[in-house]
Amino acid sequence: MDGNKRWVSGDLQHPDRDPNRRQLVAQEQEPFGSILSCIDSRVPPELLFDTGLGDLYVMRTGGEAVGPVVTGSVEYGPMTSGTPLIVVLGHQRCGAVKAAYESFRDGKPLPGNLDAIAKALRPAYDQAVKEGGADPVETMSRAQVTLTAADLRSNQDLAPLVAKGSLAVVGAYYLLDTGAVEVLSGAP
């Protein structure tokens, strides 16, 4: 979050981004966090948190949609090297969430494999419909983050790490307008 404060203020340090760091992590890595975020080009986690080489495991899918391969990728850091943090990072004005929302609302499946993304976002849509609100797409985006973080927190392999305090699973939301990341759930 200190890195995000630097991102917001423009006082960036650009840590761990030089040939010395490249050499240091060439043989092995020890990232301090894993980030599951959206594919959106405006939401690159390494920049938003002012980090560098070897600092983060980053997985990006449309709308933070998950399935077995993505979940396995998220589990990798905590289960193999003790990475102590997972952040599920949603964001304002998510195109994938908007497309899924409109698909469900209008009863029109998305083309190709885009429909698989929509189907993965169905629980968030259902929650957004229940909650209502002025902007249902934003409600759905936030619900997707919260639901995904809760699912990871209770995952059979990650839950024991969470219970003993060696892993935090945090739901967070990036505001495109300001550059700030706000924590929605799971703050350690």
Side-chain angles (χ1 to χ4, degrees):
M1 293 305 287
D2 288 342
N4 182 249
K5 288 176 189 168
R6 293 191 302 271
W7 171 256
V8 170
S9 72
D11 187 25
L12 302 170
Q13 292 179 358
H14 305 291
D16 302 330
R17 297 183 190 179
D18 59 34
N20 290 333
R21 179 63 173 186
R22 184 181 67 234
Q23 289 295 48
L24 182 68
V25 299
Q27 298 303 315
E28 111 183 305
Q29 61 179 332
E30 292 184 37
F32 62 81
S34 297
I35 311 281
L36 170 59
S37 70
C38 186
I39 60 171
D40 194 294
S41 65
R42 303 166 293 177
V43 188
E46 297 89 343
L47 298 180
L48 308 182
F49 293 107
D50 194 25
T51 60
L53 288 173
D55 291 336
L56 299 172
Y57 290 111
V58 177
M59 290 69 50
R60 295 178 74 172
T61 67
E64 310 84 57
V66 294
V69 171
V70 174
T71 301
S73 297
V74 172
E75 292 170 344
Y76 182 82
M79 292 177 63
T80 65
S81 60
T83 303
L85 175 66
I86 295 171
V87 176
V88 178
L89 182 65
H91 67 93
Q92 196 176 28
R93 292 188 287 280
C94 180
V97 171
K98 180 180 180 184
Y101 178 85
E102 291 172 353
S103 170
F104 293 130
R105 180 195 65 200
D106 300 341
K108 295 180 182 174
L110 294 174
N113 287 306
L114 296 178
D115 202 47
I117 294 172
K119 287 177 182 172
L121 301 178
R122 183 66 194 226
Y125 172 81
D126 294 341
Q127 183 170 323
V129 168
K130 283 182 201 172
E131 287 182 24
D135 189 336
V137 173
E138 290 301 304
T139 301
M140 183 175 165
S141 292
R142 288 172 179 269
Q144 175 61 12
V145 167
T146 303
L147 291 169
T148 301
D151 285 348
L152 290 170
R153 221 176 278 117
S154 64
N155 165 306
Q156 69 177 357
D157 295 308
L158 298 177
L161 300 174
V162 172
K164 73 178 186 178
S166 63
L167 175 65
V169 181
V170 176
Y173 199 74
Y174 179 65
L175 301 169
L176 292 168
D177 295 336
T178 65
V181 172
E182 64 181 60
V183 174
L184 300 180
S185 66

